[in-house]
Amino acid sequence: MTTESLITKPESAIRVAPSVLVGIGAFAAVGVYVLVGSVELNLWTSLGPGPGLFPFAMGAVLVAMAVLWLVQELRRPSETAEGVDRGLVVAVVLSLTILAALMDLLGFQLSMFLFLMYHLRLRGRRSWVSSLITALAGSVGAFYAFNYGLNVTLPVSAFPLLNMIGL
Amino acid sequence: MDTLNELMGGFAAAMTWQNLLFAFLGCLLGTIIGVLPGIGPVAGVALLIPLTMNLDATGAIIMLCAIFYGTAYGGTITSVLLNTPGEAASAITTIDGYAMTKVGKAGAALTIAAVGSFVGGTIATIGLVAAAKPLGELGLLVGPPEFFALMVVGISLLVALAGKSMVKAVISGALGLLIAMVGIDPVAGAPRFTFGMDRLLDGVSFVAVIVGVFGLSELLSHRKETATPTVHAPNMRALLPTGKEWRRSAPAMARGTGIGFGLGLIPGMTGSVSSLLAYGAEKKFSRHRSQLGKGAIEGVAGPETANNAHANAALIPLFTLGIPASPTIAVLMGAFLQQGLTPGPTLFTEHSEIAWAIIASLFIGNLLLLVLNVPLVGLWTSILRVPSTILTPLILLFMVIGAYTINFSVFDVFVMIGFGLLGLALRHLDIPLAPMVLTLVLGPLMERSLRESLEISQGDFGIFTSRPISAVLIGLGILIVFSPLLKFRKPKALNEDPET
């Protein structure tokens, strides 16, 4: 680390990773947005500090830190973390989003069953039997366990037809 | 003797069959969370908060506390048997613990770890009992300016100690405070940063945020699905350490208790730091230091004892001053607040029975874990044999249920997904997550005390420097933040702290 920092000269500026630049930019943007937003909220009222004061301070901190970080990166670019498994991220985030969107419509049991089947059978390549048992336990089983065991009600389907058969 | 009477009352309340059951369930769940490598204590405790919301306050907090220190026990099991720590705090145990497994002494290592954890946890809890009254009374002298200053110290310690870059730690802390500010402002009642969404008037649910940032992003950042390791549970006879091993462990446990207890009191110190330093202490002071790294029992006893002493000692600042010392404690504090209990000196005056029942349950829980852990090693190892292709979907299932049940709304599931992605981005940028959790929970309290102070002084910031206690605390905070400029070296162990 130290030897590397001695070798790197100003031209290493180009070596700042794009993801780091995007991150710094995003934090600065959020900071500016908060600064503007909190001025509109009133920094000071006749009674003393207003609702905008604290966020204003935080926005300022965020902008200042983003600038400091940029300076640090230009002096000595940090090594970026290893990349992520994009397939995994997309599959999990997308399936979760669809699950959340459908949960009120199809009810917890059916939507969770489909979600679990996707992850167990399609992504996990489990056998049909193992997938079905696990998915049923995680959807129908969890529904009743939470309902009767913990007094926590999970959503039922908005469709009368599905509702009638207990989903 | 007043304290002792109240503690006895606490035991009476904690010994009802319901509360014993909650403590038992909490220990069980905590151990499972500790054993599972994919999910840490922060997300684990947050995930289970919604499940406890329908319970009465005492039972709910007893269960969540048991989950909290149960994870400290559970993390050891994978460290020793698999060479992969279930929790960051038991990472150092892998060195000698796994070396002992390789020579067939896994059982002895696990037993010593459990006994050490029990000793450390129990002594730290006795410390809590002793400190509760005097510190609580001191805490009552604290007004809004002092309270604000105290939180400044806590947060600046965490920021200074977290990770390699203070700039990144401050960004993390500021983000947490900003997220905490979404919703109706606590003093004037103006909606802030709600983007016109009614849903956000009550603020962003901290459970959904924490489950997303800590739990979901952890799952998302997994790289290759690793093959399920083969684990063999040691048999019962092999569980008992020899007399020599007991004798060698005792001094290591004593050192571990001291280190863990001392560091547990300091905000910003995580359990990992305690276990790392305890290992370092063994390397320096143990009579068998030459064997460390090759399967010395001291290398298990010291860190594991320190880890649990730390976990229990960290409850002292929470109970007496209302300051969470670590991310997991911050989540626990969030659970207190959701139950309508404000941790801190007023807890002992306003909800004295609940506070003492919880403290009594800490003793019971530590005993339960000792009894549960060792004989059930077979059960814990069988959990490890569940392949990740089944485990990951099931963890996702619990995250969805946990997020949904906070307000019984899918909105919070979307919040969790969004913060999962944010957490992934922060991990990628090497921004520590710990300061964010702390400020997320403390944010509203901090803002209220700042504004109350300024209202008392009619807008004069001098109130923070004219009152002696707050002046000293603010000075301390500034010193901590600027310590890198003064070239104070942090101990090397802190830079290696995997939790931050």
Side-chain angles (χ1 to χ4, degrees):
Chain A
M1 279 296 291
T2 36
T3 45
E4 199 187 297
S5 64
L6 288 175
I7 298 164
T8 43
K9 289 268 168 324
E11 68 260 23
S12 67
I14 25 164
R15 289 228 318 254
V16 178
S19 60
V20 172
L21 281 181
V22 171
I24 294 174
F27 289 126
V30 171
V32 170
Y33 173 80
V34 170
L35 280 176
V36 174
S38 43
V39 171
E40 284 168 12
L41 280 169
N42 260 334
L43 297 182
W44 209 262
T45 63
S46 52
L47 292 168
L53 181 71
F54 210 57
F56 186 82
M58 287 308 117
V61 167
L62 215 49
V63 172
M65 287 304 130
V67 172
L68 259 178
W69 187 8
L70 185 65
V71 172
Q72 285 182 351
E73 285 291 332
L74 291 175
R75 277 207 198 143
R76 189 206 295 184
S78 58
E79 64 255 71
T80 42
E82 302 152 65
V84 291
D85 183 348
R86 282 206 194 150
L88 173 82
V89 174
V90 171
V92 170
V93 170
L94 211 62
S95 62
L96 277 175
T97 311
I98 295 172
L99 170 70
L102 291 180
M103 208 151 87
D104 278 337
L105 283 176
L106 296 181
F108 172 80
Q109 297 170 78
L110 188 56
S111 56
M112 186 52 87
F113 176 76
L114 295 173
F115 174 82
L116 289 175
M117 281 307 278
Y118 165 71
H119 280 283
L120 293 164
R121 176 70 204 137
L122 287 177
R123 275 186 51 76
R125 308 259 161 95
R126 312 289 317 163
S127 70
W128 276 105
V129 180
S130 142
S131 303
L132 276 172
I133 293 175
T134 317
L136 278 175
S139 54
V140 182
F143 182 85
Y144 286 101
F146 276 86
N147 214 349
Y148 296 110
L150 287 162
N151 238 346
V152 170
T153 39
L154 295 165
V156 289
S157 174
F159 296 122
L161 198 66
L162 286 174
N163 213 327
M164 249 165 46
I165 54 168
L167 290 175
Chain B
M1 283 301 95
D2 211 15
T3 311
L4 217 56
N5 276 337
E6 292 193 79
L7 181 63
M8 285 305 138
F11 267 108
M15 295 286 239
T16 63
W17 71 267
Q18 291 100 327
N19 286 343
L20 280 177
L21 181 71
F22 290 139
F24 173 76
L25 280 178
C27 290
L28 206 66
L29 286 169
T31 310
I32 293 174
I33 290 169
V35 168
L36 294 177
I39 184 155
V42 179
V45 175
L47 210 53
L48 295 162
I49 287 177
L51 303 188
T52 59
M53 278 198 308
N54 286 348
L55 306 175
D56 73 305
T58 316
I61 302 291
I62 284 180
M63 189 162 152
L64 289 168
C65 285
I67 293 170
F68 162 64
Y69 51 79
T71 55
Y73 276 75
T76 317
I77 296 171
T78 50
S79 294
V80 171
L81 293 180
L82 286 179
N83 203 18
T84 44
E87 305 309 329
S90 22
I92 196 78
T93 314
T94 55
I95 302 175
D96 284 277
Y98 190 62
M100 286 182 75
T101 298
K102 281 197 287 196
V103 294
K105 288 207 235 151
L110 287 174
T111 306
I112 289 286
V115 171
S117 300
F118 173 75
V119 170
T122 305
I123 293 178
T125 311
I126 293 173
L128 171 58
V129 171
K133 264 271 145 62
L135 270 178
E137 275 160 21
L138 188 73
L140 286 176
L141 303 174
V142 161
E146 286 81 15
F147 194 57
F148 178 76
L150 207 54
M151 282 186 279
V152 168
V153 173
I155 289 174
S156 43
L157 262 172
L158 195 77
V159 162
L161 297 177
K164 292 154 213 133
S165 152
M166 200 187 271
V167 167
K168 291 179 179 179
V170 173
I171 290 181
S172 171
L175 278 181
L177 280 173
L178 282 173
I179 297 164
M181 269 166 225
V182 172
I184 298 272
D185 116 74
V187 182
R192 291 189 297 195
F193 305 109
T194 57
F195 309 100
M197 278 195 263
D198 289 348
R199 288 264 189 218
L200 287 176
L201 286 178
D202 282 337
V204 188
S205 148
F206 94 97
V207 172
V209 172
I210 285 166
V211 170
V213 167
F214 272 82
L216 183 57
S217 77
E218 169 91 50
L219 277 183
L220 292 177
S221 60
H222 276 200
R223 264 169 290 279
K224 278 279 165 284
E225 306 265 299
T226 41
T228 314
T230 43
V231 230
H232 303 287
N235 65 33
M236 269 311 274
R237 199 174 313 130
L239 282 175
L240 288 177
T242 61
K244 195 171 153 234
E245 281 165 334
W246 284 115
R247 275 194 302 279
R248 281 176 56 177
S249 303
M253 285 182 192
R255 285 188 283 263
T257 305
I259 291 170
F261 186 78
L263 293 184
L265 295 175
I266 305 171
M269 290 285 179
T270 58
S272 317
V273 179
S274 278
S275 49
L276 285 171
L277 288 181
Y279 193 81
E282 290 315 305
K283 261 192 175 160
K284 239 185 209 143
F285 301 116
S286 166
R287 236 187 269 163
H288 304 89
R289 69 195 91 139
S290 58
Q291 289 169 33
L292 272 173
K294 296 171 205 136
I297 190 73
E298 290 91 344
V300 176
E304 284 306 315
T305 308
N307 177 5
N308 248 53
H310 184 112
N312 284 273
L315 293 172
I316 296 176
L318 177 72
F319 272 71
T320 53
L321 301 170
I323 296 290
S326 74
T328 324
I329 304 262
V331 177
L332 210 54
M333 180 170 175
F336 271 86
L337 295 173
Q338 294 222 321
Q339 290 282 354
L341 302 169
T342 309
T346 52
L347 190 68
F348 287 96
T349 48
E350 282 164 23
H351 303 281
S352 155
E353 299 91 60
I354 297 181
W356 286 105
I358 294 167
I359 293 176
S361 86
L362 298 179
F363 286 106
I364 299 170
N366 270 299
L367 191 65
L368 274 177
L369 278 164
L370 180 66
V371 178
L372 268 180
N373 234 274
V374 181
L376 290 185
V377 162
L379 175 71
W380 310 130
T381 48
S382 67
I383 292 173
L384 286 169
R385 286 198 207 103
V386 178
S388 64
T389 45
I390 292 189
L391 216 48
T392 309
L394 289 184
I395 293 176
L396 286 171
L397 161 78
F398 272 96
M399 287 179 183
V400 170
I401 295 181
Y404 176 84
T405 43
I406 315 154
N407 294 315
F408 294 97
S409 139
V410 213
F411 181 76
D412 288 323
V413 181
F414 285 115
V415 170
M416 178 197 78
I417 300 171
F419 277 95
L421 285 171
L422 176 71
L424 187 66
L426 295 180
R427 278 172 202 269
H428 184 76
L429 292 171
D430 209 15
I431 292 178
L433 302 174
M436 187 169 157
V437 190
L438 209 63
T439 51
L440 187 65
V441 175
L442 285 182
L445 300 174
M446 213 174 150
E447 182 181 14
R448 197 183 313 144
S449 57
L450 170 71
R451 285 167 66 175
E452 278 170 2
S453 313
L454 288 176
E455 273 164 29
I456 295 171
S457 70
Q458 289 163 332
D460 180 9
F461 279 92
I463 189 168
F464 294 110
T465 47
S466 62
R467 295 167 65 126
I469 300 179
S470 80
V472 170
L473 289 172
I474 293 270
L476 202 61
I478 292 172
L479 200 67
I480 292 163
V481 172
F482 288 103
S483 57
L485 298 181
L486 303 173
K487 305 252 188 259
F488 287 152
R489 285 275 173 78
K490 332 190 237 192
K492 221 173 81 201
L494 293 176
N495 280 333
E496 288 157 13
D497 182 1
E499 260 178 75
T500 48

